[in-house]
Amino acid sequence: QVQLVESGGGLVQPGESLRLSCALSGNIASIYHMGWYRQAPGKQRDLVAGITSGGRTNYLASVRGRFTISTDNAKNTLDLQMNDLKPEDTAVYYCNADANTVTTGRADYWGQGTQVTVSS
């Protein structure tokens, strides 16, 4: 089993920054892809930023240049630095890992979500 716990959400004003962090734990054997998703009320859950095991990153067009995804293998964390936040970035942000454990096959794992609200 893989556990993901997000932190760092909150209420900020437009133009400000936030850093989200996701702590991973469990009997992880391999991680293929990790990402941050977000879901606003009444909307689908979208991939905001992703990173492969090889370090290749991809971003939602609307956040490219403002958000940066990174991993810290020593700390087993996945971070999302969000700069110049806009009201349309308001959503619940979820951490995701496409991984397998020493006992189970490949699966998607999700954190519980953290609220980001951008409002003046």
Side-chain angles (χ1 to χ4, degrees):
Q1 191 72 1
V2 177
Q3 294 82 39
L4 290 78
V5 179
E6 301 105 333
S7 61
L11 171 63
V12 296
Q13 294 188 348
E16 294 185 339
S17 299
L18 275 177
R19 188 176 185 88
L20 304 183
S21 187
C22 175
L24 285 78
S25 62
N27 296 322
I28 301 169
S30 300
I31 298 177
Y32 302 97
H33 181 272
M34 297 183 66
W36 285 97
Y37 289 71
R38 70 186 182 190
Q39 187 167 23
K43 296 190 176 182
Q44 67 181 22
R45 188 175 296 188
D46 291 325
L47 176 66
V48 175
I51 186 166
T52 67
S53 58
R56 185 176 299 175
T57 59
N58 62 292
Y59 296 91
L60 186 67
S62 62
V63 308
R64 194 173 294 123
R66 300 188 295 122
F67 291 11
T68 303
I69 190 170
S70 61
T71 58
D72 186 327
N73 293 331
K75 296 180 181 179
N76 269 355
T77 59
L78 174 73
D79 296 328
L80 184 68
Q81 178 66 41
M82 304 186 294
N83 298 328
D84 189 23
L85 282 160
K86 305 177 185 301
E88 51 264 39
D89 295 318
T90 295
V92 177
Y93 283 70
Y94 297 91
C95 176
N96 169 270
D98 174 8
N100 61 356
T101 71
V102 296
T103 57
T104 63
R106 186 170 176 175
D108 264 334
Y109 296 92
W110 294 91
Q112 80 285 357
T114 186
Q115 177 70 46
V116 172
T117 302
V118 185
S119 175
S120 56

